[in-house]
Amino acid sequence: MQDLFLDILGSTATKREARSYLSRFRPLKSGIQQQMNPPPTNKHVGVNLGNLILPLRAVDESPVFTQVVPGNRFFDQAIESLHVALVKIRAPQSIDDAILQGVGHTLSQLTCLGLNSVVVIDCEDGEKRNALDSCRLALEQGDRVVTAIDLYRGRGARRLDSVIGLSQAQGQNLSSNKPRGRLQITHQDLILAPLRRGVIPVIVPIGFTHETHALIPVAADDVVLSLAQEFVGFQTQDVHEEDFHKATEKVKSLQKQISLDRIILLDSLGGIPSRDTVHGFHVFINLEQEYRDIRDDLRQLTEGDRDLTKVSSLLETLPNQSKSIDSGSVFGSNGSSTSPIDQNHNELLTGSNGYNRAKTHLRNLNLLKLTLAILPASSSAIIITPQEAANSGRSSVRSSQHLGVGTRRQKNPLIHNLLTDKPVVSSSLPSCRTQKNMTNILHPVSIPSPATFVKRGIPISIIPDPNIHPWTRPTFSPSIQLSDPRIDLPRLVHLIEDSFNRKLDEDHYLSRINNRVAGVIIAGEYEGGALLTWEIPPGSPSSPPVPYLDKFAVLKRSQGAGGVADIVFKAMVRDCFPEGVCWRSRQDNPVNKWYFERAAGTRKIPGTNWTMFWTTEGVEKGGSTFLDYERVCKSVVPSWADKKAVAD
């Protein structure tokens, strides 16, 4: 239990995040009874995390995007749902015992913290095996995982190999030793009963036919998807087989009992590769916004593969989730388990066995796309190496280097993710701050890949679309007006007023910016957004217009959670103004800590209450750009209805 507390203390959870976690998850009872200050303790749980986290000033001050000072209220509603994570371990036969035991330790810790894991074994590693050998290997590795979990305190684990049903009519694809057609979870109670007792079910990818009970290896990805469908009620029982009303009530009852919160993929290849980051991996993927681009990037290296084309065709039909998946033809063999973090993007995907690596990454991405599409928007996924998942707070300078930190205890990304529902590193941070050096003279060994955090997310609307109309300096007229039919002006005004907690003088604001608008970024249903303008530096009419972030807003309910601010900021600096942008903020604005981490430079403007920020490289050296930025940030007239210009 001491290691568990150290992991929690070493996390970057803030008070807000700790309270959010405590309001949703109820840890299992431990032998040590803790004194609890609200929220009240459920009789089935007993680990108190509140007092462990509240005194930590440095942890509490970890910056989040919020325009208002956070309150101190606990959310104390009772939560009865069983919180579940689906965990797939790829190629456990290539993982040594020490790492596997570390993974078992972490899964036991997650159970103590209220997240109950269901583990699916995936033994595919690119080797061709007959059906008998595949079954033997799966059973053997299932037992290894059970043993690894049983080594630590808790209720342990139990291997299940009789919960996947196949009908004889579905047949078998002899070339791949896998069945065709949708899998069925036939004995739900065999999974739920141990979960409710704190036991971790370990499921091997072996199905049996209803008619002959013959054992047939199946694709682990199909098992994960079938389990997800089962937990949300899609596979409880076909409606035509019983009264529709009763079937509906069964689904509602199941959804109240089970909350599938996480999909965890343990893969030695690590996170999804990216060409746009120094460390070479996506830290966070907003599927609604980024899936197609990432898929196409990976598909370039798997072009001509019919299996992956079938998956992509299936994904195009979403949100129709009831379609079955051909496990024999859709999900092929996995690739190399070599950690690729010490290679650049091209070598990572096109080197030795690179084609299979790309297929594996694409398969992981597609699996998460399918599963998250049928889960609540609050559910999330993470792809992580077994080495990182096995980390239990051991002090290590080397493995912290990709975070740019060498003096803190290692964070366990899975425990951090449970507490915060965020990646360890913010996706909107500049690359130079997420990783300083990928290698070390004293430790030339490859560093484990950073994790990729994935959510179904929210769509991003950028007006005008920079891919069609790049946001370049205007010559005669502005790019758009706020009267553009693509912009819902009343909702945009509400977003600004809710975020800043101030009433906007709409007429004054529109008259000031309407001939200067560079573009607007909108997240989801106006949950967040940014309004950017072209500003002429006062006293320098011949100077080029300055790209200026006039308003950056996130609804109060979305501040500090959900990644809305990160998504908007990332779109601004990556898609709209990759060469740089400037903005200003009141010196006492709580969000400034968040801005400081993302800006290339800052300056307190003399004689004002403003702090100036910019993302443009080289501005800090002085020169005309710096002076233009300062003139603009000094001169913009606030447009608040309360006329409190002095406070600004």
Side-chain angles (χ1 to χ4, degrees), residues 272-434:
I272 302 294
S274 169
R275 299 181 187 273
D276 300 324
T277 58
V278 174
H279 47 68
F281 288 83
H282 289 277
V283 172
F284 168 63
I285 295 176
N286 173 20
L287 287 172
E288 284 283 355
Q289 176 196 9
E290 301 176 278
Y291 167 73
R292 291 180 184 275
D293 289 341
I294 298 172
R295 177 201 62 187
D296 292 344
D297 192 18
L298 293 172
R299 191 191 279 174
Q300 289 178 7
L301 295 156
T302 59
E303 202 165 0
D305 187 274
R306 297 179 181 178
D307 296 347
L308 295 171
T309 301
K310 291 182 180 180
V311 172
S312 299
S313 298
L314 174 63
L315 289 167
E316 298 292 343
T317 67
L318 293 174
N320 181 8
Q321 306 301 334
S322 61
K323 293 195 175 185
S324 62
I325 290 184
D326 185 329
S327 60
S329 59
V330 173
F331 297 104
S333 60
N334 286 333
S336 168
S337 60
T338 304
S339 177
I341 193 61
D342 57 338
Q343 304 173 39
N344 64 35
H345 183 83
N346 291 330
E347 291 174 338
L348 184 146
L349 293 176
T350 60
S352 175
N353 206 19
Y355 179 73
N356 283 335
R357 289 181 194 158
K359 285 176 63 177
T360 300
H361 287 303
L362 185 53
R363 187 177 302 113
N364 287 340
L365 180 69
N366 286 333
L367 175 61
L368 297 184
K369 173 70 171 177
L370 287 168
T371 51
L372 291 176
I374 64 175
L375 300 181
S378 58
S379 298
S380 59
I382 186 169
I383 309 174
I384 186 175
T385 64
Q387 291 82 359
E388 289 291 293
N391 167 30
S392 295
R394 297 180 298 273
S395 296
S396 173
V397 175
R398 181 187 67 181
S399 57
S400 299
Q401 285 172 346
H402 66 276
L403 304 182
V405 175
T407 59
R408 296 181 181 177
R409 295 174 62 85
Q410 281 184 275
K411 302 177 184 69
N412 185 301
L414 294 183
I415 291 177
H416 174 275
N417 177 254
L418 172 62
L419 293 175
T420 66
D421 198 28
K422 295 178 182 177
V424 173
V425 180
S426 172
S427 61
S428 64
L429 285 176
S431 297
C432 61
R433 298 193 181 178
T434 59

Side-chain angles (χ1 to χ4, degrees), residues 228-287:
Q229 292 173 332
E230 181 71 24
F231 288 148
V232 298
F234 282 4
Q235 288 193 358
T236 52
Q237 192 168 2
D238 290 337
V239 174
H240 67 271
E241 294 181 6
E242 62 176 358
D243 180 75
F244 179 82
H245 177 73
K246 290 182 179 180
T248 302
E249 291 302 316
K250 275 189 176 183
V251 171
K252 290 181 179 179
S253 175
L254 180 63
Q255 291 176 345
K256 288 180 180 179
Q257 295 177 47
I258 301 174
S259 175
L260 182 50
D261 298 293
R262 298 288 190 279
I263 307 294
I264 300 172
L265 304 185
L266 301 186
D267 194 315
S268 56
L269 291 182
I272 302 294
S274 169
R275 299 181 187 273
D276 300 324
T277 58
V278 174
H279 47 68
F281 288 83
H282 289 277
V283 172
F284 168 63
I285 295 176
N286 173 20
L287 287 172

Side-chain angles (χ1 to χ4, degrees), residues 96-330:
D96 64 43
D97 289 340
I99 296 298
L100 198 59
Q101 290 169 14
V103 170
H105 189 192
T106 297
L107 295 181
S108 298
Q109 290 178 326
L110 292 176
T111 301
C112 291
L113 291 172
L115 185 64
N116 303 272
S117 299
V118 176
V119 178
V120 176
I121 303 299
D122 182 2
C123 292
E124 291 189 357
D125 55 6
E127 297 293 331
K128 293 183 178 180
R129 301 181 180 91
N130 59 40
L132 181 60
D133 288 342
S134 295
C135 290
R136 285 176 176 170
L137 181 61
L139 294 171
E140 174 188 314
Q141 295 307 312
D143 288 338
R144 282 188 71 217
V145 172
V146 169
T147 300
I149 297 172
D150 284 345
L151 287 175
Y152 299 95
R153 295 180 183 180
R155 302 296 179 89
R158 174 184 173 187
R159 194 192 81 197
L160 303 178
D161 43 34
S162 301
V163 297
I164 305 170
L166 304 165
S167 67
Q168 193 173 45
Q170 289 170 321
Q172 181 178 349
N173 186 336
L174 298 178
S175 63
S176 63
N177 295 316
K178 293 182 179 63
R180 293 196 303 268
R182 190 174 69 176
L183 309 180
Q184 295 287 340
I185 305 302
T186 56
H187 298 292
Q188 184 190 95
D189 288 343
L190 290 180
I191 302 173
L192 295 184
L195 273 178
R196 292 192 177 100
R197 299 195 306 269
V199 177
I200 298 175
V202 177
I203 299 176
V204 293
I206 300 175
F208 66 93
T209 60
H210 296 287
E211 292 82 2
T212 65
H213 291 277
L215 298 181
I216 301 173
V218 297
D221 287 359
D222 279 2
V223 177
V224 171
L225 181 58
S226 295
L227 285 168
Q229 292 173 332
E230 181 71 24
F231 288 148
V232 298
F234 282 4
Q235 288 193 358
T236 52
Q237 192 168 2
D238 290 337
V239 174
H240 67 271
E241 294 181 6
E242 62 176 358
D243 180 75
F244 179 82
H245 177 73
K246 290 182 179 180
T248 302
E249 291 302 316
K250 275 189 176 183
V251 171
K252 290 181 179 179
S253 175
L254 180 63
Q255 291 176 345
K256 288 180 180 179
Q257 295 177 47
I258 301 174
S259 175
L260 182 50
D261 298 293
R262 298 288 190 279
I263 307 294
I264 300 172
L265 304 185
L266 301 186
D267 194 315
S268 56
L269 291 182
I272 302 294
S274 169
R275 299 181 187 273
D276 300 324
T277 58
V278 174
H279 47 68
F281 288 83
H282 289 277
V283 172
F284 168 63
I285 295 176
N286 173 20
L287 287 172
E288 284 283 355
Q289 176 196 9
E290 301 176 278
Y291 167 73
R292 291 180 184 275
D293 289 341
I294 298 172
R295 177 201 62 187
D296 292 344
D297 192 18
L298 293 172
R299 191 191 279 174
Q300 289 178 7
L301 295 156
T302 59
E303 202 165 0
D305 187 274
R306 297 179 181 178
D307 296 347
L308 295 171
T309 301
K310 291 182 180 180
V311 172
S312 299
S313 298
L314 174 63
L315 289 167
E316 298 292 343
T317 67
L318 293 174
N320 181 8
Q321 306 301 334
S322 61
K323 293 195 175 185
S324 62
I325 290 184
D326 185 329
S327 60
S329 59
V330 173

